[in-house]
Amino acid sequence: MDRTFVIAAALFGFIGVAAGAFGAHALRESLSPRDLEIFETAVRYQLVHAVALLGIASAWARWPESAGTLALSGWLMVGGVTVFSGSLYLLVLSGMRWLGAVTPLGGVAMLAGWAMLGWAALRAGSSS
């Protein structure tokens, strides 16, 4: 499973860099400043969580006894990024503003992923 999160991190990182370049070069002239800011927020959160997934994969090797909690953390982050950044990308590129109502669900999932990562570290720290 730790390999799965490295693959997800690589995919999120690749797409994040590509989306960032696309936003900076291809979209800069066609989007309003507010929409460009929204797009950049999606990219930033995606890239930060790509790095977090690498941390989860690393923690997995160090704390195998916390594998279940780390798996939950990783999947919450994967789902959170998909919903959060994905809804923002679609909102900006499609103009479907109602997607803004979905975005916070992704944010809550990412927060839960961070909480689970912290919980895994606390549990592992008490047993190692």
Side-chain angles (χ1 to χ4, degrees):
M1 186 68 68
D2 53 337
R3 182 171 171 241
T4 300
F5 293 129
V6 173
I7 293 167
L11 183 63
F12 281 165
F14 181 91
I15 293 169
V17 170
F22 181 66
H25 300 289
L27 297 178
R28 185 158 306 276
E29 299 302 319
S30 62
L31 293 181
S32 70
R34 178 65 182 134
D35 279 350
L36 192 56
E37 181 182 329
I38 291 168
F39 193 88
E40 289 170 349
T41 296
V43 170
R44 182 172 49 255
Y45 276 74
Q46 182 172 333
L47 290 173
V48 165
H49 286 83
V51 175
L53 287 169
L54 293 175
I56 290 169
S58 176
W60 199 297
R62 182 177 172 126
W63 304 318
E65 70 278 8
S66 294
T69 307
L70 290 168
L72 180 57
S73 173
W75 287 119
L76 283 165
M77 288 192 191
V78 167
V81 167
T82 301
V83 172
F84 182 88
S85 293
S87 67
L88 291 179
Y89 292 140
L90 286 172
L91 180 152
V92 168
L93 297 174
S94 72
M96 294 187 291
R97 295 297 185 197
W98 63 267
L99 286 165
V102 175
T103 305
L105 298 173
V108 169
M110 289 185 292
L111 287 168
W114 284 105
M116 289 297 98
L117 179 56
W119 180 250
L122 283 171
R123 284 189 32 216
S126 64
S127 64
S128 21

